[in-house]
Amino acid sequence: MVDFAKKIEKGCGDDLEAGEKILATLFVQAVGSVRRQVGAGFGAGLGGGVAARGAGLVAGRAAGEVAARRKASEVADEHGEDALTGRCVLCLTDSRFLVFDYNTGLVSGKVTGLVVALAHEQVSLELEMGKLTGKLAVTVEDGANMAFDIAKTAKPDDFIETFNSVVGG
């Protein structure tokens, strides 16, 4: 499991306030991303064999992208056009709720910059999980919304539990 707290401290330590402690982190992706990845993997499995693997990946990716576009438009309707896109790391510190950009490389990824910094009381979280994936809606006090896809393996329940214990939700 990736230690995102270390990646934040290494890549964006200057964005943390003096003495600020990271309590929890959570890797999230743009709405539709997880479905697209699952679709590509499923398509590859259906393709079978080494020669058909490429065709399976293409078919799965295409099916996943159609589903992702449909899902993204649903989220835009439901959560507004200001939903973040791309890969991000949500970070809960003892004093703030932070969102960092995250870029993946061939071997590993890195946290590349602070996107959003808010006080705990300005944020509410709503997690809707399926068997393997889910959706995390982040609502800000001023009405702005962020929506993310999340894999169950990222342990979003732990992040939400920590958030609720800190915020008192």
Side-chain angles (χ1 to χ4, degrees), residues 44-67:
L46 287 178
V50 175
R53 183 169 171 79
L57 281 170
V58 170
R61 188 170 293 125
E65 286 175 5
V66 168

Side-chain angles (χ1 to χ4, degrees), residues 58-91:
V58 170
R61 188 170 293 125
E65 286 175 5
V66 168
R69 280 195 300 273
R70 185 172 53 243
K71 185 70 172 173
S73 68
E74 290 170 11
V75 170
D77 290 345
E78 184 177 338
H79 296 286
E81 295 297 329
D82 50 352
L84 290 178
T85 59
R87 294 179 172 102
C88 298
V89 176
L90 306 184
C91 178

Side-chain angles (χ1 to χ4, degrees), residues 23-26 92 127 154-165:
L23 304 176
T25 60
L26 183 64
L92 180 66
L127 179 64
K155 300 184 180 180
D157 292 328
D158 294 349
F159 185 86
I160 298 294
E161 184 177 311
T162 303
F163 179 83
N164 287 339
S165 71

